[in-house]
Amino acid sequence: MKKIKSYLVACLFSPIVFLGDARGQAPQSWTSADMYLAIRKLNVLGSVLYVAAHPDDENTRLITYLSKDRMFRTGYLSMTRGDGGQNLIGEEQGIELGLIRTQELLAARRMDGGEQFFTRAYDFGYSKTPEETFTKWDKEKILSDVVWVIRKFQPDVIVTRFPETGEGGHGHHTGSAILANEAFAAAANPNRFPEQLKYVSVWQAKRVLWNTFNFGGTNTTRDDQLKIDVGGYNPLLGKSYGEIAAESRSQHKSQGFGVPASRGEQLEYFKATKGDQPVSDLVDGVDITWRKIQGGEAIEKMISGIAASFDLLHPEKSVEGLVQLYKKIGSLPAANWKDQKLKEVHQLIAQCSGLFLDATTAEQFAVQTDSVRISFSLNNRLGTDAVLQKVRVDDFDSSFSKIMEKNRNINFSKTFLVPPSKPITQPYWLANKMEEGYFNVNDQLLIGQPDVQPSFQAAVSVKIFGETFTFSRPVKYKFTDPVRGELYEPLVVLPPVLVSPDENIKISKGDNTFNGLLNLTGKKKGFQTFISGVGKDQPDQVKVEYSPDKFSFEDKNKLVPVTYKIVANRDNDYYFAVDANNGRKDLYHLGMKEVKYDHIPYINYFTIATVTNKKLDLEVYNKKIGYIVGAGDKVPGVLEQMGYEVTLLTDKELTRNNLAQFDAIITGVRAYNTNEWMNRHYDKLMKYVNEGGNLIVQYNTSSNIGPVKAKISPYNFDISRTRITDENAPVTFLIPEHAVLNFPNKITPDDFKGWIQERSIYHASNWNKEKFEAILSMNDPGEKPDEGSLIVARHGKGYFTYTGIVFFRELPAGVPGAYRLLANIIALNKKKGF
């Protein structure tokens, strides 16, 4: 795989302050209550870093309490972006799911006031032990990331969600605690990761606390642990911390984590794992006042005075005092807290002034070698003493020296050339080919940052009470939706041509010939180009034909379909590139993926235009498949590639259709968890099976986030939480002569080679042994074999199958054995002599 050139701008690692505007919405202005609380927070110099493994592991109630009641600088370090989880709202998996969960986590932090950080670790799926986790994460590399965040954030106290001793269950959970506790000492040791010290200093936190818990049948809280009530009510916010925390946690929509609000006393328990056990407070023994900085006592008095005189109806009256405070803090000796409080005062000055600073475009995309028009709208809404001095975007720098009159708009627009060297808007962690357990990020200053860099930023310089302040605002795409109203989304830089294969996995047989379609989208008009080949990595024996091979884009967004035929002598990856024909020998080889949900900003990322050819020894029997859509997966498209005719079935189609037309009906992942209407069709489905049909049920969960809402089978069985997480776990054939293992494909141990992430999840248990046959047995290292991954029963003339085998992961990845095994399950009711 080639490296995607992203040319990301190197910038200092700096946390995003989430009290500002939420992406997808208009820039948010604080209420006077927000401003008053932020002024009071200026006098608190304490910080806490919460550490766990995934999005949704964090204790949002505690983060809310620490940030909004104690007013500590509070951060959450998640080891991963949640890439290996399951998706309740769509078909995205892997890195796409990680992109969704990243945005859900950022939305949660906007609610609870925390800051968000990540390591380079990839969520490769469920892991039963930290030892397994560290074989994929590269423990030393991820430890260095934890140390880096600690050295940058400089927390007084580190809090872990999970212990080092395994009560958290998931190997990632335990691994996160091990890393946090090791980083406690490593961050203070100049001999550990010394390459970081040209950017940061060593840092010794006071202690590491385990935030003990009582959930999932495990109670780790004890009366001798530190107890803190975090369930208070904040009258300025009009909500309890439990209510705010519920809003925060409910942002994890892809995981089905909507929760009710809580009120009243809510106790959290803490046990020290490094450093001393606190007696009365998390920060026992830590000075959290300005007295820790030379000359800080005077700063404390200034802040107290500004807070005491704050006028809720006229926050602009505090601006002059805040400007003087900014200058006073700026005169202090160099210190981390000096820098942090300067940022906070800087933001307060903009908010208390009522400044509206907006830079937007009317188009979602800025195209390399084309132009983009940016509109600026500036307003001094409260009439503070402000003079607009300059506006700068990239190389554009415009001077004004214009008094900003009260509540008068200053509007202007400027057209900018987007040079070919302008970086595409690519999430930095996807810029390089990743390893199995972590992303390859080589720029130290990017590590830990939660989100992609904005493609364009407007720097607006305003002189306020004689002092010049420069406010940076990302340029966004603004439009009006007829239902949701005015919306802001990221502005994305992309190449002039996008190259997107119709399918990324191509199945071939026999002579290894396969056909496909390339969709070429011209993002600028008046552009001519031609296909230049299938990439330098191809063997000489490859024969490729294109039709057409030359084309032009007279109009922007014109789509040109190009058919191709490839004849090769072996499996391979094929890279497609388009020659710009512009004299610079520019090659464009990127396709763009889009993910859109209403609760998060638009997500766009780029992939190299690649098709992976899989030559399969595959036979299929039966033709027509009915597929009942569940939580979302990509299995239907793969079935079509295998040669089946697939009809998607929803509540309406199940009601209207004669099911006898289908050779097999397959339920999508978690179909019985997500579709309450499945219960209405139980009798019809059982009648279909009884009369010779073949019903194949993929996994459903038994957890509280997705209880089974309908009857599934003609015979009783339970769904357990048993899973086989080792994708290389040995598989034993319990009934070697069974049709599932013989027709139309002879299944052998080789068919279980090359699997990804895991073997199976949510096995069947307690099944009726007289009716069901268990086909396979498998187990993770050190565990007993389990036979619940694939059970089959005859019912009348037909068959019912329940399987926890992760076809939804293996099929889109092109795993040959998964294709062959599923084809056999589909063929069960027409088994030809078996």
Side-chain angles (χ1 to χ4, degrees):
M1 182 72 74
K2 298 177 182 177
K3 176 181 177 182
I4 298 177
K5 294 183 179 180
S6 63
Y7 304 100
L8 289 166
V9 178
C11 66
L12 286 176
F13 176 102
S14 59
I16 295 176
V17 178
F18 296 112
L19 291 177
D21 59 325
R23 292 172 62 187
Q25 302 174 0
Q28 290 185 343
S29 298
W30 297 356
T31 66
S32 288
D34 294 328
M35 298 174 202
Y36 177 65
L37 289 170
I39 291 171
R40 290 182 56 203
K41 183 175 181 176
L42 293 175
N43 260 339
V44 180
L45 279 67
S47 57
V48 177
L49 181 65
Y50 203 87
V51 179
H54 311 105
D56 73 37
D57 283 345
E58 77 276 21
N59 185 336
T60 54
R61 190 168 56 215
L62 178 61
I63 290 175
T64 302
Y65 165 79
L66 293 174
S67 68
K68 295 185 179 294
D69 186 275
R70 300 302 302 277
M71 299 184 183
F72 293 152
R73 186 183 178 203
T74 307
Y76 174 45
L77 172 59
S78 176
M79 296 293 131
T80 76
R81 296 176 183 269
D83 325 80
Q86 295 152 31
N87 185 359
L88 268 182
I89 62 174
E91 66 178 22
E92 296 84 6
Q93 299 171 20
I95 61 171
E96 285 191 348
L97 180 57
L99 290 166
I100 291 172
R101 298 185 71 184
T102 293
Q103 294 304 325
E104 291 179 338
L105 204 49
L106 293 177
R109 297 293 81 78
R110 287 191 286 269
M111 299 288 181
D112 58 36
E115 301 172 23
Q116 186 59 52
F117 307 100
F118 294 98
T119 75
R120 287 172 286 183
Y122 178 71
D123 179 359
F124 57 83
Y126 191 84
S127 170
K128 294 182 178 178
T129 67
E131 290 78 17
E132 179 192 7
T133 296
F134 291 140
T135 62
K136 297 184 178 181
W137 274 5
D138 186 338
K139 181 182 177 183
E140 190 74 357
K141 183 182 294 289
I142 306 307
L143 175 61
S144 76
D145 293 354
V146 180
V147 168
W148 169 252
V149 173
I150 290 172
R151 286 171 172 174
K152 285 295 300 180
F153 190 78
Q154 296 191 3
D156 297 310
V157 175
I158 300 167
V159 180
T160 65
R161 169 78 282 186
F162 304 105
E164 299 174 272
T165 46
E167 291 90 337
H170 200 315
H172 295 183
H173 294 168
T174 306
S176 71
I178 291 171
L179 291 169
N181 279 273
E182 290 189 13
F184 172 78
N189 184 349
N191 296 318
R192 295 292 276 140
F193 313 111
E195 69 279 1
Q196 299 177 2
L197 298 181
K198 60 182 175 181
Y199 307 110
V200 295
S201 301
V202 295
W203 179 253
Q204 180 63 70
K206 180 69 174 177
R207 59 179 63 91
V208 179
L209 298 174
W210 168 29
N211 179 198
T212 59
F213 52 80
N214 181 8
F215 56 74
T218 302
N219 184 5
T220 61
T221 63
R222 301 289 183 271
D223 287 338
D224 61 349
Q225 296 169 357
L226 173 67
K227 294 188 287 287
I228 297 177
D229 178 11
V230 301
Y233 175 79
N234 191 318
L236 286 170
L237 300 175
K239 296 177 182 178
S240 71
Y241 301 124
E243 290 171 313
I244 298 170
E247 294 175 356
S248 172
R249 189 155 186 78
S250 295
Q251 300 307 305
H252 298 294
K253 300 183 189 303
S254 67
Q255 305 305 296
F257 272 13
V259 296
S262 63
R263 299 160 192 88
E265 182 183 65
Q266 301 287 334
L267 294 179
E268 295 290 342
Y269 293 74
F270 303 89
K271 176 183 178 181
T273 56
K274 296 291 181 185
D276 60 334
Q277 175 69 26
V279 176
S280 59
D281 192 23
L282 293 175
V283 293
D284 275 357
V286 178
D287 185 353
I288 59 172
T289 72
W290 278 100
R291 289 187 293 273
K292 66 166 61 177
I293 296 178
Q294 183 181 353
E297 293 88 343
I299 302 295
E300 186 173 20
K301 290 179 181 178
M302 289 181 70
I303 294 169
S304 297
I306 294 170
S309 62
F310 183 75
D311 187 337
L312 289 167
L313 294 179
H314 294 283
E316 73 276 10
K317 292 180 180 180
S318 296
V319 173
E320 185 172 9
L322 287 168
V323 171
Q324 296 306 313
L325 176 64
Y326 187 88
K327 293 163 65 176
K328 185 70 173 178
I329 294 175
S331 68
L332 294 175
N336 180 67
W337 276 114
K338 170 188 172 181
D339 297 337
Q340 177 61 27
K341 293 305 176 182
L342 283 173
K343 292 176 188 175
E344 293 177 20
V345 176
H346 188 275
Q347 193 171 24
L348 264 167
I349 289 169
Q351 293 294 337
C352 291
S353 297
L355 290 177
F356 180 82
L357 309 173
D358 206 22
T360 63
T361 70
E363 296 186 69
Q364 185 182 358
F365 304 113
V367 182
Q368 292 172 333
T369 73
D370 205 349
S371 60
V372 61
R373 189 163 184 82
I374 300 177
S375 297
F376 302 87
S377 181
L378 317 174
N379 191 305
N380 180 14
R381 292 175 292 188
L382 293 176
T384 196
D385 180 8
V387 178
L388 176 63
Q389 292 189 308
K390 63 174 60 178
V391 176
R392 187 177 71 254
V393 177
D394 287 358
D395 295 332
F396 168 73
D397 194 338
S398 179
S399 297
F400 287 88
S401 296
K402 179 179 177 60
I403 295 174
M404 300 181 71
E405 299 180 40
K406 182 177 180 179
N407 207 26
R408 295 288 183 89
N409 291 324
I410 301 174
N411 297 324
F412 64 97
S413 299
K414 172 72 176 177
T415 299
F416 296 83
L417 174 68
V418 184
S421 59
K422 182 72 175 178
I424 61 170
T425 310
Q426 176 80 334
Y428 70 87
W429 58 97
L430 302 182
N432 302 315
K433 181 183 177 182
M434 63 175 293
E435 304 299 330
E436 181 182 16
Y438 58 88
F439 297 104
N440 271 315
V441 180
N442 301 318
D443 187 340
Q444 181 68 60
L445 298 175
L446 290 174
I447 293 170
Q449 288 191 183
D451 206 357
V452 62
Q453 291 291 108
S455 55
F456 289 86
Q457 295 211 61
V460 182
S461 297
V462 182
K463 182 177 286 186
I464 301 175
F465 286 102
E467 187 77 9
T468 298
F469 295 89
T470 298
F471 303 100
S472 182
R473 297 289 185 268
V475 179
K476 294 188 177 183
Y477 162 51
K478 184 174 75 171
F479 65 102
T480 301
D481 181 272
V483 176
R484 299 171 65 199
E486 184 179 73
L487 296 175
Y488 287 70
E489 296 292 348
L491 174 63
V492 176
V493 174
L494 44 67
V497 181
L498 295 174
V499 186
S500 300
D502 58 338
E503 295 166 325
N504 295 114
I505 301 288
K506 286 290 185 181
I507 298 172
S508 62
K509 303 177 184 179
D511 63 357
N512 221 26
T513 299
F514 62 97
N515 304 292
L517 183 70
L518 292 178
N519 290 311
L520 307 184
T521 305
K523 303 307 291 186
K524 62 177 288 189
K525 63 182 179 179
F527 189 70
Q528 294 184 339
T529 185
F530 59 90
I531 294 282
S532 65
V534 292
K536 65 181 182 180
D537 301 322
Q538 310 314 316
D540 294 338
Q541 297 89 340
V542 174
K543 180 182 178 182
V544 187
E545 298 176 2
Y546 299 101
S547 179
D549 59 359
K550 295 180 181 180
F551 28 82
S552 60
F553 300 98
E554 296 86 3
D555 301 309
K556 183 179 286 191
N557 295 319
K558 179 181 178 181
L559 177 66
V560 176
V562 176
T563 61
Y564 68 86
K565 178 181 179 180
I566 294 180
V567 180
N569 63 354
R570 62 184 178 88
D571 291 359
N572 211 340
D573 292 338
Y574 299 92
Y575 306 97
F576 298 97
V578 172
D579 194 311
N581 196 27
N582 58 6
R584 290 197 305 268
K585 296 184 179 180
D586 290 337
L587 290 176
Y588 299 109
H589 59 276
L590 299 180
M592 185 178 71
K593 301 290 184 69
E594 297 181 90
V595 179
K596 291 184 179 180
Y597 292 101
D598 285 350
H599 69 293
I600 54 175
Y602 293 168
I603 296 170
N604 298 271
Y605 74 100
F606 298 90
T607 59
I608 294 174
T610 308
V611 169
T612 298
N613 169 226
K614 294 288 185 179
K615 183 179 180 180
L616 300 184
D617 178 13
L618 174 68
E619 299 292 335
V620 297
Y621 192 99
N622 288 341
K623 199 71 175 177
K624 297 192 69 174
I625 306 293
Y627 198 91
I628 300 175
V629 178
D633 59 62
K634 299 178 181 179
V635 173
V638 177
L639 290 170
E640 289 178 337
Q641 274 209 61
M642 293 169 69
Y644 298 106
E645 298 174 8
V646 180
T647 300
L648 297 182
L649 302 176
T650 63
D651 185 20
K652 184 183 297 184
E653 283 76 28
L654 279 171
T655 300
R656 295 177 176 178
N657 274 282
N658 176 11
L659 302 186
Q661 66 180 294
F662 299 113
D663 298 317
I665 294 176
I666 304 174
T667 68
V669 297
R670 293 207 261 189
Y672 288 89
N673 296 130
T674 58
N675 301 323
E676 293 187 14
W677 45 262
M678 287 294 292
N679 206 46
R680 293 201 297 271
H681 303 290
Y682 173 77
D683 291 338
K684 188 172 184 178
L685 287 169
M686 293 304 104
K687 182 174 182 291
Y688 160 76
V689 175
N690 187 63
E691 294 178 353
N694 185 10
L695 178 60
I696 303 163
V697 175
Q698 296 185 82
Y699 89 92
N700 288 265
T701 71
S702 59
S703 67
N704 62 341
I705 66 168
V708 173
K709 300 175 181 178
K711 291 186 289 184
I712 295 178
S713 167
Y715 311 115
N716 291 333
F717 73 94
D718 296 329
I719 297 176
S720 73
R721 296 186 63 80
T722 300
R723 59 201 303 163
I724 307 302
T725 64
D726 184 353
E727 65 271 29
N728 298 311
V731 178
T732 300
F733 298 169
L734 298 175
I735 311 177
E737 69 278 10
H738 198 283
V740 165
L741 301 176
N742 291 278
F743 179 79
N745 303 286
K746 179 69 175 178
I747 303 299
T748 73
D750 286 345
D751 286 299
F752 291 92
K753 293 179 180 179
W755 287 48
I756 65 165
Q757 188 163 322
E758 55 197 347
R759 287 264 191 234
S760 58
I761 56 180
Y762 297 103
H763 285 195
S765 64
N766 302 321
W767 58 85
N768 185 327
K769 297 294 196 297
E770 294 181 359
K771 300 294 185 180
F772 281 105
E773 294 177 294
I775 308 300
L776 304 174
S777 174
M778 57 185 76
N779 60 279
D780 279 324
E783 297 185 356
K784 295 180 180 179
D786 189 274
E787 300 178 359
S789 66
L790 178 61
I791 60 172
V792 178
R794 285 295 302 262
H795 179 57
K797 298 178 181 178
Y799 285 85
F800 172 88
T801 298
Y802 175 83
T803 180
I805 292 172
V806 288
F807 289 112
F808 74 101
R809 294 198 195 281
E810 309 307 322
L811 295 175
V815 176
Y819 284 77
R820 289 161 47 81
L821 180 58
L822 182 58
N824 284 13
I825 299 174
I826 291 172
L828 268 174
N829 58 341
K830 298 282 188 359
K831 56 182 181 164
K832 278 190 174 177
F834 282 86

